[in-house]
Amino acid sequence: MMKQELAPANLTDIARTVLKKRYLLKNEHGDVIETPETMFWRVAETIAAVDARYGASAEQVEERAERFYHLMTQGYFEPNSPTLMNAGRPLGQLSACFVLPIDDNLTSIYETLKHQALIHQSGGGTGFSFSRLRPRNDVVRSTMGVASGPVSFMDVYNHSTEAIKQGGTRRGANMGILRCDHPDILEFITCKLDTTKITNFNISVAITDAFMRAVERDEEYDLINPRTGLGQIASRDGLKHPLTGEVLVPAGQPMRLRARMVFDLIVQCAHATGEPGLFFIDRANEYNPVPHLGEYEATNPCGEQPLLAYDVCNLGSINLGKFVTDAGTIDWESLRDVVHESTRFLDNVIDANHYPLEQITQLSQRIRRIGLGVMGWADMLVRLGIPYNSAQAIDLARQVMRFIDEESKVASEQLARERGPFPEWEYSIWGPDATCARRPDGSRIRPQRLLRNCNVTTVAPTGTISIIAGCSSGIEPLFAIAFWRYQADTRMLDINQDFVAQAKREGWYSDELMERIADTGHIHHPEVPASVQRVWVTAHDIAPEWHVRMQAAFQEYTDSAISKTINFPHEATPDQVREAYELAFRLGCKGITVYRDGSRANQVLSTGSTG
Ligand code: UDP
């Protein structure tokens, strides 16, 4: 099938530049041999072709491909980058997110290292829990030596990532997770204070509910050796505070730590460098749709997908800004249509996908996880005249995400009727099985629903696809109204076109003002009316609390998790970071990531001896 005339894609110059640089097919001489239009058609055709396996006629498949083409070229919906890059091509790996298991033996550590390389080569990101590895200095019976511990193996994975570089498309991204009760937790928390180390990893501490209770009550808790399942005894040197060198647990004593001391250390490091983030592991597991297949131990690199071992998710995001009418209302009918079509698209991606590992193919077919998310949220708000940092925006976030989540599930139910539910449905939290669908008190976690997909909704960062769609990224506030963009090695002045239109309409536009806004990074200039300054808030005008509240509002109606950065001004204190972390836990978030302006460029805290 080859479409004769492809309708032109509605793309900004920046989007075309990015596509040309990184997405369009090249021949062996490095010449680009695709246009954005033929790229989108390649994707649309490949994904629509799956319908034929479920009985669609050639004509129906063609119609479906045209609808998919329209969604992507008009910026209503974009799948994650690997789908755009690889659909209809030999590699054929279409997913952004993977989690691989690491067990406490060298075979497992190096098998998974190999699998990480294969996934990075195909443009996917990988997450790992290092929690099963025995701690540093623990015994290795086969050699009578001592173990080097989770952080040293994370460093090995980091170096391998550096070497792979994802075949020139994108550098591998990783998430490293360690449980708060692992004996090496203090070393892990501080391992990125030197910002030149482990740079290909984001790190998060897996935080249990028991830990948070211990923080609240200022209690101690035990560090557990995963090899024995028993409390760890401090070795010859004792356990020292990694920054002050103070002996926290003397040699030969059971390792018990004050939860508050550990939490303080996390906060101090996050304040200094943005890491570690937190992964609220018990809460994530409460919403694990297939608990009979295993527990969540880790997430993908940006945190929006808690996944099982050998689990995968293909993502796609709807551009919310497109659904604001000229009258300043939301076009819910169109949004519903796009949600349904996008859900179908993502379900097809599962079947069109070529995974690098058999275990991943198997699990993806058994649970059929998809991640439909949103982008352009900040655009939607400014078009509706609602400030991001307002109760009205929080209420609308709930309303919009609830609608998308519900409609996506209606579409998944329709698919289940046509193609059957996901094979593990019966034992999932959506099925009739009473044991795994209920909490210990007997209440249902989710209502029984016959779904095609075990999870449907998420919120991804949409780093590149938001540029392709020409919208604000994910659920983040606007980064700036006008700024200098460094994308694909080119410097470009990027001005929000809605802002330009409003300025012209209201008669206060000038080129000079736009450049001044880009240079100063804010719109607080006398020419800009006060009401405009109130609505057009950017990331740094917004108090961290509103960032957290926004994340929590979206989380309420999202199956998986939310990728979001809680921005702090440079002068924010560690206590403000602590408040954000505690608020995220209280409001039901599944994790949190913070970033304090300018902190990575800073002189890092000096590290003392490690114990
Ligand atoms: N990701 C990755 N490498 C990257 C960027 C992203 O592996 O350089 C993965 C990672 O799992 C992330 C997911 O892709 O959570 C989605 O990221 P994003 O939405 O920014 O990707 P896009 O589709 O916009 O490229």
Side-chain angles (χ1 to χ4, degrees):
M1 180 166 56
M2 184 61 220
K3 203 158 187 294
Q4 294 307 310
E5 264 182 54
L6 294 170
N10 185 5
L11 295 168
T12 62
D13 290 345
I14 293 164
R16 283 187 187 272
T17 306
V18 170
L19 287 174
K20 197 166 157 196
K21 189 99 182 171
R22 309 232 310 263
Y23 290 65
L24 303 182
L25 254 175
K26 296 191 179 103
N27 64 16
E28 64 270 29
H29 307 299
D31 309 320
V32 173
I33 55 167
E34 250 185 346
T35 63
E37 284 77 9
T38 57
M39 177 200 79
F40 283 122
W41 183 250
R42 163 171 60 75
V43 177
E45 194 180 37
T46 306
I47 305 307
V50 170
D51 282 11
R53 298 190 204 174
Y54 298 103
S57 67
E59 204 174 292
Q60 287 169 323
V61 170
E62 173 91 17
E63 276 171 23
R64 179 76 66 200
E66 280 171 18
R67 284 206 289 278
F68 287 165
Y69 180 82
H70 178 74
L71 289 187
M72 292 185 286
T73 52
Q74 299 309 308
Y76 287 99
F77 162 84
E78 307 295 344
N80 54 207
S81 290
T83 302
L84 293 174
M85 290 168 171
N86 301 333
R89 294 176 64 180
L91 210 48
Q93 196 294 100
L94 310 179
S95 301
C97 311
F98 297 80
V99 161
L100 298 172
I102 304 179
D103 284 322
D104 187 33
N105 63 75
L106 279 190
T107 309
S108 169
I109 294 170
Y110 283 86
E111 272 286 303
T112 290
L113 182 68
K114 176 177 86 180
H115 297 158
Q116 176 208 36
L118 294 175
I119 289 170
H120 286 178
Q121 185 186 33
S122 69
T126 42
F128 311 91
S129 163
F130 290 88
S131 303
R132 291 173 182 236
L133 297 185
R134 71 191 66 186
R136 197 151 66 83
N137 295 331
D138 199 21
V139 295
V140 181
R141 241 177 257 121
S142 53
T143 57
M144 300 307 284
V146 293
S148 48
V151 174
S152 72
F153 286 114
M154 194 158 77
D155 201 32
V156 171
Y157 276 55
N158 185 63
H159 282 291
S160 176
T161 303
E162 195 63 36
I164 302 294
K165 296 282 186 198
Q166 302 211 7
T169 52
R170 59 179 178 184
R171 212 179 51 162
N174 298 290
M175 172 64 86
I177 303 252
L178 198 71
R179 282 179 65 95
C180 54
D181 50 10
H182 191 285
D184 289 358
I185 190 62
L186 301 183
E187 183 188 354
F188 178 82
I189 291 167
T190 51
C191 76
K192 291 196 69 178
L193 277 179
D194 179 343
T195 51
T196 64
K197 295 267 169 67
I198 321 192
T199 49
N200 298 308
F201 268 84
N202 296 324
I203 62 165
S204 281
V205 178
I207 298 280
T208 58
D209 289 356
F211 177 86
M212 289 306 280
R213 271 196 306 276
V215 171
E216 215 173 284
R217 298 176 189 160
D218 197 10
E219 289 171 353
E220 294 190 334
Y221 73 108
D222 291 311
L223 300 185
I224 310 289
N225 183 330
R227 181 178 57 82
T228 59
L230 302 172
Q232 178 77 355
I233 305 295
S235 63
R236 219 175 7 174
D237 301 335
L239 178 67
K240 294 183 186 147
H241 191 287
L243 302 182
T244 63
E246 176 200 348
V247 176
L248 299 167
V249 183
Q253 294 298 307
M255 281 200 191
R256 287 179 65 76
L257 293 177
R258 262 184 74 212
R260 261 189 205 172
M261 184 278 294
V262 176
F263 200 62
D264 283 349
L265 187 62
I266 294 173
V267 165
Q268 194 181 354
C269 293
H271 176 263
T273 70
E275 293 195 279
L278 304 184
F279 170 45
F280 297 122
I281 190 168
D282 290 339
R283 185 163 292 145
N285 273 299
E286 189 174 347
Y287 293 96
N288 175 358
V290 284
H292 63 297
L293 297 183
E295 286 186 9
Y296 291 139
E297 295 178 29
T299 73
N300 73 319
C302 301
E304 71 273 22
Q305 288 287 330
L307 295 171
L308 301 175
Y310 297 115
D311 203 350
V312 61
C313 194
N314 59 289
L315 312 174
S317 300
I318 291 175
N319 177 1
L320 292 174
K322 295 287 273 189
F323 301 92
V324 180
T325 65
D326 293 341
T329 57
I330 295 176
D331 182 352
W332 297 101
E333 284 309 307
S334 303
L335 181 57
R336 174 183 289 121
D337 289 346
V338 171
V339 170
H340 282 238
E341 203 67 56
S342 306
T343 304
R344 205 168 262 277
F345 183 107
L346 294 176
D347 187 58
N348 280 11
V349 169
I350 297 171
D351 296 329
N353 219 325
H354 297 286
Y355 300 103
L357 292 176
E358 184 53 29
Q359 297 97 313
I360 295 175
T361 308
Q362 292 291 333
L363 186 58
S364 75
Q365 286 288 338
R366 295 206 66 77
I367 66 177
R368 303 192 69 86
R369 187 191 290 278
I370 61 173
L372 180 63
V374 296
M375 53 187 172
W377 168 238
D379 297 333
M380 176 176 251
L381 289 177
V382 293
R383 284 172 203 171
L384 293 169
I386 301 172
Y388 189 98
N389 48 354
S390 66
Q392 205 187 347
I394 302 289
D395 288 344
L396 187 66
R398 287 203 188 90
Q399 195 187 351
V400 166
M401 200 62 209
R402 181 183 192 160
F403 182 86
I404 291 173
D405 186 60
E406 175 56 24
E407 289 304 327
S408 184
K409 293 208 166 85
V410 170
S412 185
E413 284 173 325
Q414 177 64 30
L415 284 161
R417 284 193 294 275
E418 291 170 24
R419 303 172 173 188
F422 62 97
E424 297 289 340
W425 172 76
E426 208 176 324
Y427 307 102
S428 77
I429 61 171
W430 305 108
D433 187 283
T435 52
C436 57
R438 291 171 198 281
R439 296 190 179 89
D441 69 1
S443 62
R444 275 198 77 97
I445 290 163
R446 294 284 200 222
Q448 186 174 329
R449 290 182 92 155
L450 190 77
L451 297 174
R452 172 80 171 153
N453 312 92
C454 76
N455 257 23
V456 295
T457 39
T458 191
V459 177
T462 73
T464 319
I465 61 169
S466 64
I467 298 172
I468 295 170
C471 64
S472 62
S473 56
I475 59 162
E476 297 295 351
L478 298 174
F479 165 67
I481 307 301
F483 61 97
W484 299 107
R485 188 193 278 281
Y486 298 89
Q487 187 68 40
D489 302 332
T490 319
R491 181 180 190 254
M492 293 172 271
L493 179 63
D494 194 323
I495 314 177
N496 187 299
Q497 290 307 305
D498 287 325
F499 188 79
V500 170
Q502 185 169 350
K504 287 186 173 161
R505 209 167 50 238
E506 296 176 0
W508 44 270
Y509 178 88
S510 77
D511 287 349
E512 189 278 324
L513 175 61
M514 297 301 134
E515 291 200 7
R516 189 157 20 109
I517 289 172
D519 289 340
T520 56
H522 63 78
I523 59 167
H524 308 301
H525 302 288
E527 298 94 317
V528 184
S531 59
V532 173
Q533 293 192 25
R534 176 72 188 106
V535 170
W536 288 84
V537 284
T538 56
H540 296 296
D541 301 326
I542 296 169
E545 183 179 335
W546 286 109
H547 283 269
V548 179
R549 290 192 182 280
M550 189 60 80
Q551 179 180 332
F554 275 93
Q555 182 63 74
E556 269 181 55
Y557 297 100
T558 299
D559 289 332
S560 192
I562 310 282
S563 171
K564 167 117 187 59
T565 303
I566 310 302
N567 285 100
F568 287 82
H570 184 72
E571 57 284 357
T573 62
D575 272 339
Q576 289 172 295
V577 172
R578 180 197 323 278
E579 280 162 22
Y581 275 5
E582 287 174 349
L583 183 64
F585 182 71
R586 266 207 315 283
L587 295 182
C589 296
K590 291 184 186 170
I592 177 167
T593 305
V594 300
Y595 185 69
R596 186 170 60 89
D597 197 24
S599 57
R600 294 229 172 106
N602 251 3
Q603 180 65 37
V604 295
L605 292 176
S606 62
T607 54
S609 60
T610 49

